[in-house]
Amino acid sequence: MTAQRRTGYIWHERYAWHDTGTHVGIAPSGGFNQPHMTFESAESKSRMAGLVEVSGMIDELIRLKPRLASREDLLRVHDADYVDRIERDSAARGGDGGDGFTPFGPGSYDIARLAAGGTIAAAEAVLAGTVDNAYALVRPPGHHARRDTGMGYCLFANVCVAIEYMREKLGVSRVAIVDYDVHHGNGAESIYWNDRDVLTVSLHQDRLFPLDTGSVTASGGDGAEGTNINIPLPAGSGNGAYQAAIERVAVPAVTSFRPDVILVSSGFDPSAVDPLGCMTVTSGGFKDMAAALVTLAGNVCEGRIVFSHEGGYSPVHVPFCGLAVLEALTGHETGVPDPFAQSFDSSPAHVLKPWQDEVIAQAALIADALRL
Ligand code: ZN
């Protein structure tokens, strides 16, 4: 069967070579913490790339070539001191992005530039019309990185670097970001806090990470009120809550904002089997969200939508969630069954609960009241 849409796809083996060392999931090894992998390891991403090939999805995609984001590209978003430090530490033995949760090994400066540049390449292809939409399977992720520091496994703000490239070079002026990673998209929020031309919408687990950001009342700085929307969903939220948040908050907000292009921070850590989140989203839930966002892009910005990979730490489930999203982007069904469907698809967790509905209603109310 031929794909209905031309979907660009970015992956490079070098992304898997970003070395985050040994940790105990999120904590450093040592003392009583027996060394193990960092949750942010290559596994979930390289296995997703593997399933994209083995499922035959790769034949329905248009491979795009990632490139290294230049220093100039990075400096549109990040402080020079920060970029210089990452470059210096990377040339030595590696280091940390800045918060103690962002370890990186030798050579990660270039890999992080390839992640930001991969998102740029995906955006460029969508803007040029050589593809209808695109998925950049990049690593390290980016949505926690702030102007002056890395954070939460993120070194450079991949989505923001791509947005600033588009705004400077490709005639784009208004952009919407929708972030369904289980953690708050605090990096993009901080970078665009005072920018009324970038709408940021984050669905995340309430008070997970970072602990002190992501409140429903944080709606944008002076002159940009209403361009930052947080939907802090309670732990335990499933497909029903996520779909309701997309339909009742993200879709009307983005529709009225009328962006030139939509960027999606695509994290699969709301998965039912993720070690870092406490949500219960299934591959079908991710597919429904992606389909709603593709339809939204078709309605507001001629279909221009770019997904950039963020978190997602279940090596066994992320590949199926990622494949489901690619099915939504391409319109091509692989027929590959998700082995976790039998465990989670029928869970009562997917029914929208009153305490989830309350948060979504509050976010919708704030977004409506402040709509520009
Ligand atoms: Zn995350």
Side-chain angles (χ1 to χ4, degrees):
M1 189 172 116
T2 311
Q4 294 166 13
R5 282 179 289 270
R6 296 166 304 154
T7 298
Y9 174 67
I10 296 266
W11 165 253
H12 194 292
E13 177 62 20
R14 191 169 287 280
Y15 293 136
W17 295 15
H18 168 54
D19 183 2
T20 48
T22 56
H23 261 53
V24 187
I26 49 173
S29 311
F32 295 110
N33 296 340
Q34 183 183 352
H36 187 62
M37 291 167 75
T38 310
F39 281 142
E40 205 298 292
S41 70
E43 282 289 277
S44 58
K45 290 83 177 175
S46 54
R47 289 170 62 103
M48 175 174 160
L51 186 60
V52 168
E53 291 221 17
V54 172
S55 65
M57 176 56 86
I58 192 71
D59 301 323
E60 308 295 327
L61 300 168
I62 297 168
R63 286 295 294 262
L64 302 172
K65 196 175 166 189
R67 63 178 174 80
L68 291 170
S70 66
R71 181 178 162 80
E72 184 191 353
D73 293 331
L74 299 177
L75 293 184
R76 287 190 199 100
V77 170
H78 293 287
D79 293 349
D81 285 356
Y82 171 63
V83 172
D84 290 344
R85 181 174 72 74
I86 300 301
E87 182 176 16
R88 208 168 45 241
D89 290 353
S90 166
R93 302 188 57 135
D96 188 276
D99 65 342
F101 292 100
T102 313
F104 66 88
S108 281
Y109 174 65
D110 279 349
I111 304 176
R113 288 169 65 208
L114 197 64
T119 306
I120 290 176
E124 225 167 10
V126 169
L127 265 290
T130 51
V131 297
D132 297 316
N133 53 43
Y135 195 99
L137 176 50
V138 297
R139 177 172 180 262
H143 76 146
H144 293 306
R146 300 167 57 104
R147 286 192 186 280
D148 61 346
T149 186
M151 191 171 173
Y153 302 143
C154 302
L155 287 175
F156 299 133
N158 303 326
V159 162
C160 305
V161 170
I163 288 173
E164 293 315 304
Y165 180 88
M166 287 189 285
R167 295 215 288 186
E168 186 164 319
K169 307 270 191 189
L170 304 177
V172 163
S173 53
R174 289 166 76 79
V175 183
I177 302 172
V178 178
D179 182 331
Y180 56 67
D181 187 283
V182 81
H183 303 100
H184 177 225
N186 67 294
E189 175 183 281
S190 70
I191 289 162
Y192 293 119
W193 185 248
N194 293 309
D195 189 333
R196 57 184 291 142
D197 291 324
V198 178
L199 172 70
T200 47
V201 182
S202 175
L203 290 71
H204 49 269
Q205 185 182 320
D206 190 21
R207 277 165 288 166
L208 181 61
F209 181 86
L211 267 180
D212 56 350
T213 64
S215 139
V216 70
T217 54
S219 55
D222 285 349
E225 295 91 347
T227 61
N228 188 74
I229 298 174
N230 285 324
I231 313 164
L233 296 167
S237 296
N239 295 347
Y242 273 84
Q243 195 62 26
I246 292 285
E247 282 171 8
R248 287 163 48 191
V249 187
V251 167
V254 173
T255 302
S256 101
F257 188 75
R258 300 213 70 79
D260 301 317
V261 56
I262 299 171
L263 274 283
V264 179
S265 275
S266 175
F268 294 110
D269 37 15
S271 147
V273 287
D274 193 89
L276 279 179
C278 301
M279 301 307 211
T280 63
V281 178
T282 64
S283 57
F286 285 110
K287 186 176 183 176
D288 290 345
M289 276 199 284
L293 295 172
V294 168
T295 300
L296 172 64
N299 291 334
V300 303
C301 50
E302 295 166 15
R304 290 191 290 264
I305 188 165
V306 181
F307 286 60
S308 184
H309 198 89
E310 301 282 0
Y313 306 103
S314 167
V316 290
H317 197 210
V318 166
F320 295 97
C321 298
L323 186 65
V325 164
L326 287 170
E327 289 184 351
L329 285 177
T330 56
H332 171 75
E333 301 287 334
T334 60
V336 171
D338 173 356
F340 294 91
Q342 60 177 349
S343 301
F344 300 112
D345 275 12
S346 304
S347 168
H350 298 308
V351 178
L352 178 67
K353 306 295 187 303
W355 53 91
Q356 300 162 355
D357 181 76
E358 202 177 305
V359 176
I360 294 165
Q362 198 185 355
L365 204 65
I366 293 172
D368 279 350
L370 292 172
R371 193 151 295 158
L372 294 172

